[in-house]
Amino acid sequence: MGNLGPTEIILILVVVILLFGAKKLPDMARSLGKSARILKSEAKAMKSDGQDDTPASAPSSAEAPAQRTIQAAPGDVTSSRP
C-alpha cells in the first residue's frame, strides 16, 4: 500500500480537484500552511520553555508567568462576509 506510482498520484489529484473544486484548493493550501506554521512555532516555543525551566530560574510565587498570545499577520484574518 505504501507504493504510490505516478498514475495513482494523478488519480488522487483529479479526485481532490473534482471534490473540492479548483477555486477552493488555494484557500485550503493557505490555511494548511498557516496551521503548520503555528504548530511549528508553538512546538519551538514549548521546546525552548522546557530548556529554560531550571530550579534556579523558576519564577517565585510573587511573579506571575507572562502569558503568550498568538498574533495574526496582517493578511491572515478572513472576514465572515462573502
Side-chain angles (χ1 to χ4, degrees):
M1 178 164 161
N3 298 335
L4 288 178
T7 55
E8 288 89 3
I9 293 174
I10 291 172
L11 181 64
I12 291 170
L13 289 175
V14 167
V15 169
V16 167
I17 289 173
L18 289 175
L19 284 176
F20 296 109
K23 291 184 179 182
K24 292 205 177 204
L25 287 178
D27 292 334
M28 290 172 52
R30 191 175 300 117
S31 64
L32 182 65
K34 287 178 192 176
S35 299
R37 188 172 40 233
I38 290 172
L39 179 66
K40 183 179 177 182
S41 67
E42 287 297 317
K44 185 177 178 183
M46 287 177 65
K47 183 183 272 189
S48 68
D49 284 348
Q51 292 174 354
D52 291 343
D53 286 344
T54 58
S57 66
S60 65
S61 61
E63 297 178 25
Q67 290 183 339
R68 292 182 299 150
T69 58
I70 299 174
Q71 297 292 327
D76 287 350
V77 180
T78 58
S79 67
S80 60
R81 293 183 287 167

